[in-house]
Structures are given as structure tokens and as C-alpha cells.
Amino acid sequence: MFPLFNKIAIITGASSGIGLAAAKLFAEAGAKLVVGARRQAELETLVAEIAEDGGTATFLAGDIQDEAYARALVDTALADFGGLDIAFNNAGTLGEMGATPELSTAGWRATLDINLTSGFLAAKYQIPAMLERGGGSLIFTSTFVGYTAGMPGMAAYAASKAGLIGLTKALAAEFGPQGVRVNALLPGGTDTPMGRVVAHTPEIAAHVANLHALKRIATPEEIARSALYLASDSSSFTTGTALLVDGGVSINRS
């Protein structure tokens, strides 16, 4: 395991899926956590489980589209733990799906707000806090969809998540000289509530699994381990990357 002792981290989307797995893994690795999501009850349960296992975490429920919430997550890290070293901006949405000419403008904008603008808002407050500590690791959850493969009916999702990769590269170039590393994590199919929306029948689930070279989808814990690597000092020379953790779904697609 990559150690995170004496590190302070924010993780969003922590009530389920990859964010939940990452919160447990980061806490096990020694980080002090501020976990965020919309569902307070799930966050309360998570924080209690981390404490039972000997870890340290607090929570703040809210909406990542809200700039005040982005700031409050950082303020909580500063007030409760004294700084910020790591941020795993993982929360997101599939958004409105369907044929592009039939997408509503409101649905398009909502998807970009949740997946992309929230990343900007997070970085706006997280990076200054990291600079106060002499650097840090900022991670965004993106996707291979719209990067190595196009998928019909997912224009808003693909565009918003591809935008995160552009944001990643810009921030990495801008703040690398000051010790802030910025990377995007690109999972393949993963057994999460969002993933099950896509693979909503056994036939579709089998098709999705077969797209991967490994002929299966990932567990949330497998993706969380890659997030842990990017968060840790073991990735100290890694920045500006779009790290594919996709079970080979991108082979022959790039």
C-alpha cells in the first residue's frame, strides 16, 4: 500500500462507488479525511466505519455545483486538520443521455456543471490551500469515454469528462513549479451505482464486460488503488496525465 501518513485529503462522491472505496483506502493508508457527497446519512455511516477501523475522518454534505460548498470543504480541512495535501474530486454524473439532437439544453448544461465546472470550483479553493503546504496532489475522475472511445448517446458526459482532462493539463502546467501535481483518473467499466445505470440488463452488462481486454469490469476498490497511487508520494514525478485504469478497453481505440 502507498502510505499517506500525516496527509490531509478531501474526497467527493464518497457516499458510494469509487469515492466510498477510496475513502476507506485512504484512511487505511493513514490520511485524515474530509468526505463529501449529497447524502448525509451515508457519509455519517462512512465516518463511523473509518473511526471504528482506527482512522480519522469528518464529513460535509452538499452539492459540488455550489461554489460555497467547494470552499466549505477546504475550510473544513483547514479548521479540523490544519491544511490540505490531497483532493480526489470524484463526484460526477452520467447526465442526460440520448441522441444528441434530442438532448435538452438544460440537461447539457447541468452535466457540464456537475462534471466540469465543479472541478474548476474545487481547484479554485483546493490549490491555494495546497500551496500553503508547499504542494499537493489534485485528482479528477474522468473517463475513457470521449478520450479513447466514442459512445453513442453520451455526448454531454463525454464532453464534460474530456474537459476535465484539459483542465488537468492546464493546472498541472500552471502550478507544477509550485509543487502541485494534477492528474486525471480514467476508469473503465466499474461496478458502481452509476455503472449499473449503463449496464442495466444482464445482456448489456455482458456486452460492457466483453469490451474490456480483461473481459470483466472493475471493482471500485481496484480504481481506488490507482487513486491512492496518484495521491501518494510514490507518484511524485507524475503530473498532467490522463491515467487509464480501464482493463484494456482502450486497446486499439486510441
Side-chain angles (χ1 to χ4, degrees), residues 142-160:
S142 182
T143 178
F144 73 95
V145 179
Y147 182 69
T148 60
M151 298 287 181
M154 302 185 75
Y157 177 73
S160 60

Side-chain angles (χ1 to χ4, degrees), residues 20 24 27 42-55 57:
L20 176 63
K24 293 179 178 180
E42 284 80 354
L43 293 176
E44 290 176 345
T45 299
L46 170 60
V47 167
E49 290 176 353
I50 288 172
E52 288 173 6
D53 291 335

Side-chain angles (χ1 to χ4, degrees), residues 55-134:
T56 303
T58 189
F59 72 88
L60 185 66
D63 186 343
I64 58 169
Q65 298 176 85
D66 182 358
E67 182 169 355
Y69 180 60
R71 183 172 187 170
L73 284 168
V74 175
D75 287 344
T76 300
L78 298 178
D80 288 10
F81 303 127
L84 181 65
D85 305 293
I86 299 159
F88 182 26
N89 297 299
N90 169 71
T93 183
L94 282 172
E96 187 174 332
M97 300 175 65
T100 302
E102 298 172 8
L103 292 180
S104 69
T105 302
W108 171 271
R109 288 175 175 161
T111 306
L112 266 67
D113 281 348
I114 295 169
N115 288 344
L116 179 55
T117 304
S118 70
F120 155 71
L121 294 174
K124 179 177 180 178
Y125 295 101
Q126 291 165 1
I127 288 175
M130 290 179 182
L131 293 176
E132 289 293 322
R133 302 271 283 187

Side-chain angles (χ1 to χ4, degrees), residues 11 15 28 34 50 81 83 87 90 125 127 137 150 155 160 186 199 215 218 225 227 236 239 243:
I11 300 177
S15 60
E28 184 181 352
V34 178
I50 288 172
F81 303 127
N90 169 71
Y125 295 101
I127 288 175
S137 175
S160 60
L186 281 59
K215 302 305 176 186
R225 286 195 289 271
S236 59
T239 195
L243 179 63

